[in-house]
Amino acid sequence: MTTKDDLKAREANAKTAADLAAVARDAAASDADYAKAVLERAEMQCQMPADYLATAEASMAVGLADYARDLYAQAEDLCFDAMEKAALGASLARTGLDPAKGRALLEESAGEAKQLSEFLAMSGFAKEALGDEALAATLLAKVEERAKTLADYLTLAKTLAAEGNPDAARAFYKKAERHLDGMEDRVAYARGFIESFDDAAAARKILEDAETDCQFPKDFAALAAGFRSVLSDGDKVAELMDQAAEFAMSGEENRDLAIAYWELMADRDKSVDAFGKALSDINDKAQLLELGGFIASKVGAADLAKRFYAKAEQKMTSAGERLKLAEAVIKDTGDKVYAAEVYGRAAESLTQPNDLMAVAADVADQLGDTDKSAAIYRKAMAGMTDLGQHLKLLEAVDAKLGDKAFAREILANAGELASGTPAYLDLAKRAVAVLADQALARELLQTAEEQVTSVGEMKNVVAAVKAHFPEDAGWIAVVEEKRVKREANQAKYAVFQEREKSADSAVKTLKLADAVMAELDDRFYAQKLLIDAQSKLEEEGWDFSKARKLVEGVGRHLGDIEWATRLLKDAAARVQGFASLSLVADAAAELIPDREQANALVRDLLAGWEQRLAELPGKTPYDFSKLAVVEGRLLGDKAAAAATLSQAVEEAERQGAGHFVYAELARAARELGLADQTAVLTDKAGSCCDSARAARQLANRLLEAGFERDEVRKLYAGLKSRISGTAERLDWADGIIDLFGDRAWAGQELGELEASLQGEEARAVQGRRRRRVEHAL
């Protein structure tokens, strides 16, 4: 029997209003006043609706209905969500204080509920507090409507079981079966009977029934995994895996079978056999790499893993993929020899410097093979074209190899690519830091000193000389003096730098470079402006007239033949048609100061056009003749010009050209000083004339081209024999007057023609002679 002292002790240790309400309940039978006092203390502890409900239910047990009603009212004022309201309704019904209101609150809260657990709890309230099976069933149906996953059913079933309703929990959980999807769900469903109800028999039946749904090896494997994890039934696992093997046909199915053999039975031989069958059908490189790692690290079949790795490697193209493969080989098999082969093949197939540097770094880090790493770094260097790449390579070689001789080569190459004071200052710093080479640092600093373009750069040179050569007082004095002079002229530099801001086009920037050289004679500042002009030229849309001005500035201000040559070759690659190309060739001949180099460039440009011409489907004899003339004019190479002109003649003959074409070819030959070819071509032109009109056209064209009148007169006279018919002879004779102004010759020819004719024809010739010759005198 509980004594007053026991109750007092419990009261003293009470932490919550519910603890005090329990003490009051137990005290009611022996001391109602004490129970009332404890309830009042409990009320003082109340903060949440649940606290008030516990105290109110204890008050009803003590027989204090009015006091309980007041507590219920305070609880209702604090209700915030549906569950708090439902608990209030259940309590009112449970204690019998106001069942009608309790039902109303429960129904109201059911309309507000959203969570499955809320509906489930309210269903329990309806059944337990109201005794209303129908309402309880309605609320439970809402739970079933909204429960979509096995996890939903399992969670709620556990809730029901914990609340002392194992039969309801089991009945509810069984309804989850309609939502199962796949073998993994069936296994999880079976596991729920073990975890929630400790019912191995039910779990086994579910798994055994699932066997009829197995169609693929992965289904059998998943079910076997269930028998192992849920029931620890090794015999059934083996039986199911035998069935899985019978269904394995494709590579994917054999892969699933192989993984299951290892993970479920640790059967290495069967796993290796299945993986071997799967290999031929698996083509995804990521999957091949993953399976190779599984086979090597878990199954322990390194040779088979290498076959997977080899197939994956065949499909790899990037450096990152190959590095990942080699790292996987080392990690999973520890076979550094094979990894070295992978790295070697990667280095052979890759061409980009950054890719090769990544491979070289891995070879050094993973294999510790500095010789092989150095060879790959050298291949990377061979493909490098800019300063930044060389600097990255220098850092890598220093960090990974510590090879000072190699670092020196890299720095030397970098020096050839560097341009401008900042770049050479950086190289000098690296020469000291990486190589401790004062001589090389001095050379680089001197170059930096020569290329200074501003006071800031000069100050940086002074600082570097003082830092690296503090003992060289003479050099320090020189650079200090240069700094002072630079600062003294800073006003002019400031003006030019201000003008730079408004030089917003290539032409303006080129003119500014001219002004800098005229006033400051600072070729390095001019170089900076010319580089800027080249960038602007690209941005504005390339134009040869502007590009020509850039070439002129590069040659005149810098004497940089290599840069000028690059610009002209680029121009030649951009232009369309020979007229434009000849302008580029003219510029090369005029603007490259070294005659020998200028001729070499012109020759290359014209040879390139000749190659393009050979492949041109619509080429004409004129295309070759124009090329020949430019060869002769710019190169003075008569032999080459004559050869090209011969190609023009061949093309003319192939096309069956007429007198106009051969006249133009003859004009080109004459311009080139090729007397023999000129004579041959004029003869060919004449041989194409079979009418007076053609003869007159040919003679006129040759006279306009500057041929000697006597020479053309002789040719025209010779064409007489090719002309027949009175009308044609009259037209030919008119040509003598029109082309050469020689009426005496024309009169003689007309007289001879008249004498050879009779009747009307003779009189017509006589009339023509009188009009054109005699009356005109």
Side-chain angles (χ1 to χ4, degrees):
M1 178 179 178
T2 303
T3 65
K4 186 72 170 285
D5 290 339
D6 292 334
L7 293 170
K8 289 278 189 181
R10 285 173 58 194
E11 180 188 0
N13 292 323
K15 304 293 185 184
T16 66
D19 293 340
L20 291 169
V23 173
R25 278 178 184 273
D26 292 343
S30 59
D31 192 336
D33 291 337
Y34 176 60
K36 178 67 165 60
V38 174
L39 287 171
E40 290 173 349
R41 186 179 169 209
E43 182 182 0
M44 294 175 64
Q45 295 284 340
C46 290
Q47 296 182 11
M48 302 297 290
D51 300 330
Y52 283 102
L53 295 184
T55 307
E57 289 182 4
S59 298
M60 289 296 292
V62 173
L64 301 173
D66 291 339
Y67 186 46
R69 188 173 280 106
D70 181 58
L71 291 167
Y72 277 124
Q74 293 184 67
E76 187 172 2
D77 289 340
L78 292 174
C79 285
F80 176 75
D81 59 28
M83 279 306 301
E84 290 174 338
K85 192 182 296 183
L88 171 61
S91 183
L92 286 170
R94 187 184 301 112
T95 61
L97 182 64
D98 193 343
K101 184 174 182 178
R103 175 181 290 279
L105 286 169
L106 193 58
E107 290 175 346
E108 182 182 342
S109 65
E112 299 173 0
K114 293 182 176 59
Q115 303 295 325
L116 296 180
S117 58
E118 293 175 344
F119 286 114
L120 189 61
M122 291 175 190
S123 175
F125 287 157
K127 184 175 182 180
E128 172 263 327
L130 296 177
D132 191 334
E133 296 286 349
L135 179 58
T138 299
L139 293 171
L140 190 60
K142 290 181 180 292
V143 176
E144 294 175 15
E145 288 173 8
R146 301 192 183 191
K148 300 298 182 184
T149 67
L150 180 59
D152 292 338
Y153 281 94
L154 185 57
T155 299
L156 296 173
K158 287 181 178 179
T159 301
L160 284 172
E163 292 176 353
N165 294 304
D167 293 339
R170 181 184 289 269
F172 178 75
Y173 185 61
K174 284 185 177 180
K175 294 178 182 180
E177 190 166 5
R178 61 188 173 185
H179 294 290
L180 301 181
D181 183 20
M183 196 58 65
E184 286 76 10
D185 274 4
R186 289 183 177 275
V187 171
Y189 180 56
R191 185 178 291 108
F193 277 97
I194 299 290
E195 295 175 352
S196 298
F197 310 111
D198 195 24
D199 190 341
R204 180 173 291 277
K205 185 174 188 312
I206 291 165
L207 295 178
E208 289 175 346
D209 289 347
E211 187 173 344
T212 59
D213 293 333
C214 292
Q215 299 182 41
F216 302 101
K218 65 179 181 180
D219 298 330
F220 286 104
L223 183 58
F227 271 100
R228 191 183 76 161
S229 63
V230 176
L231 301 174
S232 300
D233 189 339
D235 292 340
K236 190 64 177 178
V237 170
E239 177 190 331
L240 288 168
M241 287 304 298
D242 286 343
Q243 293 185 65
E246 294 175 4
F247 282 82
M249 301 296 176
S250 68
E252 182 180 353
E253 290 168 345
N254 275 292
R255 177 206 63 196
D256 294 338
L257 179 67
I259 293 173
Y261 267 133
W262 180 256
E263 292 184 340
L264 299 179
M265 302 176 66
D267 191 326
R268 184 181 183 279
D269 292 341
K270 288 184 177 180
S271 179
V272 167
D273 181 63
F275 272 128
K277 294 176 181 177
L279 178 58
S280 62
D281 287 349
I282 299 175
N283 294 298
D284 181 77
K285 57 190 172 186
Q287 190 178 73
L288 287 164
L289 193 60
E290 180 183 355
L291 291 174
F294 181 91
I295 294 166
S297 62
K298 296 185 177 181
V299 181
D303 290 341
L304 177 60
K306 289 179 184 178
R307 291 169 57 196
F308 276 77
Y309 289 143
K311 188 170 182 179
E313 187 180 359
Q314 291 172 2
K315 303 176 182 299
M316 293 177 176
T317 56
S318 71
E321 289 176 329
R322 290 186 167 98
L323 294 181
K324 185 177 179 182
L325 170 61
E327 291 166 5
V329 167
I330 294 172
K331 174 178 174 291
D332 296 332
T333 69
D335 190 338
K336 291 189 175 183
V337 173
Y338 180 48
E341 294 173 4
V342 174
Y343 283 127
R345 286 190 290 271
E348 288 175 7
S349 63
L350 296 172
T351 58
Q352 292 299 315
N354 288 341
D355 291 342
L356 289 164
M357 286 174 63
V359 174
D362 244 33
V363 168
D365 292 340
Q366 300 292 338
L367 304 180
D369 191 335
T370 56
D371 290 342
K372 183 171 290 186
S373 176
I376 299 172
Y377 276 130
R378 286 186 181 280
K379 182 179 179 182
M381 184 171 67
M384 290 180 177
T385 57
D386 65 64
L387 177 62
Q389 289 178 320
H390 279 82
L391 296 181
K392 288 182 181 178
L393 178 62
L394 179 65
E395 292 171 0
V397 167
D398 186 42
K400 302 294 183 184
L401 308 181
D403 187 333
K404 301 302 181 185
F406 190 7
R408 185 180 300 279
E409 291 179 43
I410 299 167
L411 204 55
N413 285 358
E416 294 177 2
L417 294 170
S419 177
T421 295
Y424 281 105
L425 286 175
D426 183 33
L427 293 179
K429 181 179 178 181
R430 293 172 188 269
V432 174
V434 176
L435 301 177
D437 189 331
Q438 294 294 108
L440 179 57
R442 179 183 291 274
E443 180 182 330
L444 292 166
L445 273 178
Q446 287 171 340
T447 305
E449 180 185 348
E450 292 170 0
Q451 298 194 9
V452 165
T453 61
S454 68
V455 172
E457 289 183 357
M458 193 67 239
K459 287 180 178 179
N460 290 336
V461 169
V462 172
V465 172
K466 288 181 176 179
H468 301 309
F469 299 92
E471 75 290 347
D472 195 336
W475 192 9
I476 292 173
V478 169
V479 294
E480 284 284 15
E481 182 180 351
K482 286 185 177 182
R483 177 186 60 78
V484 171
K485 288 182 178 180
R486 175 71 64 164
E487 289 176 339
N489 286 316
Q490 185 57 24
K492 288 184 179 180
Y493 280 96
V495 170
F496 277 112
Q497 286 165 353
E498 192 62 32
R499 288 175 62 184
E500 252 189 277
K501 296 177 183 178
S502 60
D504 55 2
S505 70
V507 171
K508 289 180 181 178
T509 307
L510 289 169
K511 288 180 178 178
L512 186 59
D514 293 341
V516 165
M517 288 301 291
E519 292 191 38
L520 298 174
D521 193 27
D522 189 335
R523 63 188 300 271
F524 298 107
Y525 190 2
Q527 181 184 42
K528 172 181 176 294
L529 292 170
L530 290 169
I531 292 171
D532 187 33
Q534 184 175 356
S535 298
K536 286 186 172 70
L537 179 60
E538 293 292 345
E539 293 167 4
E540 294 166 3
W542 189 88
D543 177 88
F544 180 63
S545 63
K546 297 177 184 177
R548 192 184 193 286
K549 290 182 174 65
L550 176 60
V551 174
E552 183 180 2
V554 168
R556 180 154 52 91
H557 299 320
L558 308 181
D560 191 334
I561 294 175
E562 183 179 346
W563 186 4
T565 299
R566 285 200 309 271
L567 290 169
L568 289 167
K569 285 184 176 179
D570 175 68
R574 293 175 186 259
V575 297
Q576 299 293 324
F578 184 68
S580 297
L581 182 76
S582 64
L583 292 177
V584 179
D586 284 339
E590 179 184 345
L591 301 178
I592 300 296
D594 185 288
R595 191 76 264 133
E596 185 176 338
Q597 289 181 289
N599 284 345
L601 177 56
V602 171
R603 197 178 301 279
D604 285 346
L605 295 177
L606 296 181
W609 174 257
E610 187 172 2
Q611 184 176 357
R612 288 163 61 183
L613 189 58
E615 300 168 358
L616 190 68
K619 55 183 174 288
T620 69
Y622 295 135
D623 293 321
F624 290 101
S625 67
K626 287 185 284 187
L627 176 59
V629 169
V630 174
E631 284 177 331
R633 176 168 56 84
L634 296 183
L635 298 174
D637 189 339
K638 280 191 177 183
T644 304
L645 197 58
S646 295
Q647 293 184 65
V649 174
E650 290 174 8
E651 190 64 28
E653 291 173 346
R654 189 181 67 80
Q655 295 182 10
H659 59 284
F660 278 127
V661 171
Y662 285 111
E664 173 58 24
L665 299 186
R667 183 202 64 78
R670 184 174 181 276
E671 182 177 336
L672 292 167
L674 302 172
D676 291 342
Q677 276 189 287
T678 303
V680 169
L681 289 167
T682 51
D683 286 346
K684 280 184 175 288
S687 67
C688 294
C689 296
D690 53 4
S691 68
R693 181 185 180 193
R696 292 179 65 168
Q697 288 173 338
L698 174 59
N700 186 61
R701 179 64 59 89
L702 293 175
L703 289 171
E704 289 178 347
F707 279 69
E708 295 293 334
R709 292 180 66 82
D710 290 344
E711 185 181 355
V712 179
R713 179 188 177 104
K714 180 179 179 181
L715 173 67
Y716 190 75
L719 294 177
K720 173 183 174 181
S721 63
R722 300 181 61 83
I723 298 168
S724 61
T726 302
E728 284 289 295
R729 290 285 297 278
L730 285 172
D731 192 13
W732 177 80
D734 282 344
I736 295 173
I737 298 170
D738 294 337
L739 293 169
F740 307 104
D742 192 336
R743 286 181 173 78
W745 179 20
Q748 179 183 344
E749 293 292 343
L750 288 170
E752 291 178 3
L753 178 60
E754 181 183 350
S756 67
L757 298 172
Q758 296 179 358
E760 288 299 323
E761 284 188 330
R763 285 192 289 275
V765 173
Q766 183 183 53
R768 178 73 62 88
R769 178 170 56 81
R770 288 174 178 173
R771 287 195 306 275
R772 296 298 314 268
V773 178
E774 295 175 0
H775 292 173
L777 293 174

